[in-house]
C-alpha cells in the first residue's frame, strides 16, 4: 500500500515524505549515518509553517520550514 500525507495551511503545503527526508538530511549533515536513526518524531505546526523533529529521543532536534 502506498500512502501520502499532505499538510495544507493558508497556501502552504508540505508532504510527510519531504519533512522526513529533510530531517534525515540534517542528520547526515551532522556527520552521522542514516542507519543510526532509531526513532524520528515530527511535530507539524501549520500556524508557524514549520515542523519540529526529534531523532533518537532528542539526540538531535530541529526545525523544518515549509
Amino acid at each position: 500500500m502506498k500512502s501520502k500525507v499532505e499538510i495544507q495551511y493558508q497556501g502552504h503545503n508540505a508532504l510527510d515524505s519531504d519533512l522526513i527526508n529533510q530531517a534525515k538530511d540534517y542528520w547526515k549533515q551532522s556527520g552521522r549515518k542514516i542507519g543510526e536513526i532509531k526513532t524520528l518524531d515530527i511535530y507539524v505546526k501549520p500556524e508557524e509553517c514549520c515542523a519540529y523533529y526529534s531523532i533518537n529521543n532528542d539526540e538531535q532536534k530541529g526545525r523544518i520550514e515549509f
Side-chain angles (χ1 to χ4, degrees):
M1 175 181 93
K2 288 183 117 181
S3 64
K4 172 176 94 168
V5 175
E6 183 171 355
I7 299 104
Q8 297 180 337
Y9 183 76
Q10 295 185 347
H12 297 274
N13 297 341
L15 292 173
D16 61 332
S17 57
D18 291 341
L19 298 174
I20 292 166
N21 288 334
Q22 286 182 26
K24 288 179 177 180
D25 286 344
Y26 291 141
W27 178 261
K28 288 190 317 189
Q29 289 172 11
S30 70
R32 298 174 181 179
K33 296 181 179 167
I34 294 298
E36 297 173 328
I37 296 176
K38 303 299 178 219
T39 62
L40 171 57
D41 301 312
I42 296 179
Y43 308 92
V44 179
K45 299 274 298 217
E47 68 275 13
E48 295 179 19
C49 296
C50 74
Y52 294 91
Y53 70 92
S54 170
I55 296 176
N56 295 343
N57 298 316
D58 290 339
E59 187 176 332
Q60 180 175 333
K61 54 187 173 179
R63 176 183 167 122
I64 301 167
E65 307 232 357
F66 59 84

